[in-house]
Amino acid sequence: MRDAYIYDSVRSPRGKGRSDGSLHEVTPVKLSADMLNALKSRNGLAGDEIEDVIWGNATQVKEQGGCLARTAVLASDLNERVPGLSINRFCASGMEAVNLAANQVKGGAGEAYIAGGVECMSRVPMGSDGAAIAADPSVAMKTYFVPQGISADIIATEYGISRDDADAFAMASQARAAAAWSENRFEKSVVEIKDQNGLSILANDEYMRPGTDMQALGALKPAFKDQGEVMPGFDAVAMLKYPHLEKINHIHHAGNSSGIVDGSAAILIGSKEFGEAAGLKPRARIRATAKIGTDPTIMLTGPVPATQKILDDSGMSINDIDLFEVNEAFSSVVLRFMQAFDVDHGKLNVNGGAIAMGHPLGASGAIIIGILLDEMERQDKETGLATLCVASGMGAATIIERV
């Protein structure tokens, strides 16, 4: 097996996922093509060295459908001989694209790939694909399906995570993201999005609310309480699966859950030989990848078993990891991860996360890998782990090492 290296990583700023968001006018194809073009120009690529573009997005309908990866290649400055593969592992789609590309390189199936993803949630709303996991009664009954917000509240109830715990974590995410932007920690990777006339559309993450405090968060109504409790409520479904719970403690709301945004990210992955031929220096080695299925009702606990699996597979322990990025789908997801592995918050999501900056579903996995790499370089750390929870009960993880 050969080694697979990360040579570069870029991402767009994240725009509010509403009709008044700055990126609402930008199509998924353009946003994706902008990332491909950024990697091409930054690394002096000719455009035909790439074996494939593997691109994740979670809602693959309308303008995000029809093998968006190939359409993005054709809309970009890459050579038309470069194919494209669209994949969907829900929230982990961008990470799975990176992991798949890395494993293709390791297995000798090509020298270089671009992997990442996109989600334009203001243009293609989450759930608009009518996924069977939620819409088909025969599947929903078998899996004891509940919406993700209810799942996040089940985690909080099962593992003793309070509303104050979740709100304090959310406040820290906002403060850390604001500090990261004020200190220009993202400048190496964020690509300004411009219109066809070269005028700026968006240069920074616009979802953030840096003035957030505990009082403001405390005033917000639990977002999933009515969904859970009003008959016929999802809490009753969940307690068929978890009869030891007397009730579901509904602690999540818009302030301690991930933001709906538009965004894209791309990572250039290649072999040692590719780097030598292109005159590029690798930034990190992708040491290990993992994915796993979990209970589809509680749904969002995947980062814990995925991390245990990737550590076991690579002969490592949690103490071998210097920095962590755990996608902030909901506060309880990350707090449960920290609880399970006794991880110091000072080593985890040090620049904030999706609660502050937003979660563009198909891109987030690639985004957190890129943020992790930049932070490892900034702090001169050796090893980092990125992981996400995934809808319908899955988890994914990636370990990278500085070169």
Side-chain angles (χ1 to χ4, degrees):
M1 293 280 286
R2 302 186 301 176
D3 284 328
Y5 297 96
I6 295 176
Y7 285 93
D8 200 7
S9 172
V10 297
R11 74 168 176 95
S12 74
R14 284 169 272 193
K16 295 177 183 177
R18 305 194 304 255
S19 59
D20 61 349
S22 295
L23 294 181
H24 177 63
E25 66 185 86
V26 182
T27 67
V29 169
K30 174 177 164 42
L31 202 56
S32 301
D34 282 355
M35 297 304 101
L36 302 181
N37 288 341
L39 286 182
K40 179 179 182 294
S41 62
R42 282 163 54 120
N43 296 282
L45 302 178
D48 60 358
E49 308 96 326
I50 304 303
E51 182 75 18
D52 202 357
V53 169
I54 305 178
W55 212 241
N57 64 290
T59 309
Q60 297 188 348
V61 293
K62 299 182 178 178
E63 58 187 17
Q64 284 185 175
C67 193
L68 176 61
R70 174 58 175 166
T71 310
V73 168
L74 296 175
S76 76
D77 297 332
L78 296 179
N79 192 291
E80 67 179 13
R81 69 160 294 278
V82 178
L85 171 65
S86 288
I87 65 168
N88 184 358
R89 203 187 290 281
F90 297 125
C91 302
S93 297
M95 175 175 285
E96 190 60 35
V98 172
N99 291 352
L100 179 56
N103 291 328
Q104 293 279 84
V105 171
K106 288 181 180 182
E111 300 297 328
Y113 286 73
I114 293 176
V118 69
E119 206 79 30
C120 290
M121 301 178 76
S122 71
R123 298 177 66 93
V124 186
M126 180 171 55
S128 58
D129 53 351
I133 188 66
D136 185 333
S138 65
V139 177
M141 290 175 66
K142 179 181 179 181
T143 60
Y144 296 91
F145 171 83
V146 299
Q148 287 188 32
I150 303 293
S151 298
D153 287 337
I154 298 172
I155 293 172
T157 307
E158 179 77 358
Y159 295 103
I161 297 165
S162 70
R163 167 76 180 254
D164 282 348
D165 294 335
D167 286 356
F169 181 83
M171 190 173 70
S173 181
Q174 294 285 352
R176 291 178 175 198
W181 271 103
S182 69
E183 296 172 13
N184 298 318
R185 295 185 193 177
F186 300 133
E187 64 180 353
K188 182 183 294 186
S189 299
V190 172
V191 175
E192 182 178 14
I193 302 303
K194 299 180 180 181
D195 66 16
Q196 60 186 2
N197 298 314
L199 300 176
S200 178
I201 297 175
L202 186 64
N204 58 275
D205 294 321
E206 69 173 350
Y207 182 81
M208 297 188 302
R209 292 152 289 179
T212 299
D213 57 26
M214 288 294 284
Q215 184 176 3
L217 292 173
L220 296 175
K221 178 183 176 182
F224 310 105
K225 184 179 176 67
D226 289 348
Q227 203 176 32
E229 295 180 355
V230 176
M231 295 300 293
F234 284 104
D235 286 7
V237 175
M239 285 188 285
L240 290 172
K241 189 78 168 281
Y242 300 97
H244 62 283
L245 299 179
E246 293 183 5
K247 62 170 294 190
I248 307 299
N249 184 20
H250 293 287
I251 69 165
H252 288 94
H253 50 74
N256 59 26
S257 306
S258 57
I260 293 173
V261 295
D262 302 331
S264 185
I267 295 178
L268 177 61
I269 299 163
S271 64
K272 178 182 178 182
E273 291 75 14
F274 161 74
E276 291 173 347
L280 299 175
K281 181 179 178 181
R283 295 172 61 189
R285 178 172 74 99
I286 298 179
R287 173 164 178 166
T289 68
K291 62 271 188 184
I292 198 165
T294 64
D295 178 353
T297 305
I298 200 167
M299 193 186 304
L300 307 174
T301 54
V304 174
T307 294
Q308 194 59 62
K309 184 177 189 296
I310 200 171
L311 293 173
D312 291 345
D313 290 350
S314 54
M316 302 175 71
S317 78
I318 201 73
N319 296 322
D320 295 322
I321 307 299
D322 297 316
L323 289 172
F324 299 85
E325 283 289 326
V326 183
N327 190 47
E328 295 176 0
F330 298 90
S331 287
S332 65
V333 172
V334 189
L335 290 168
R336 171 56 190 152
F337 180 91
M338 293 166 62
Q339 180 189 82
F341 293 107
D342 193 24
V343 170
D344 182 350
H345 196 188
K347 295 182 176 181
L348 181 146
N349 297 7
V350 299
N351 296 306
I355 289 173
M357 293 174 283
H359 175 19
L361 306 177
S364 290
I367 288 174
I368 65 172
I369 291 172
I371 288 176
L372 178 63
L373 176 55
D374 285 348
E375 187 62 22
M376 288 166 61
E377 291 175 340
R378 189 181 77 86
Q379 292 194 33
D380 194 23
K381 299 296 185 181
E382 295 296 323
T383 306
L385 183 148
T387 184
L388 304 92
C389 63
V390 187
S392 76
M394 293 184 284
T398 307
I399 293 176
I400 61 175
E401 293 179 332
R402 292 266 310 286
V403 178

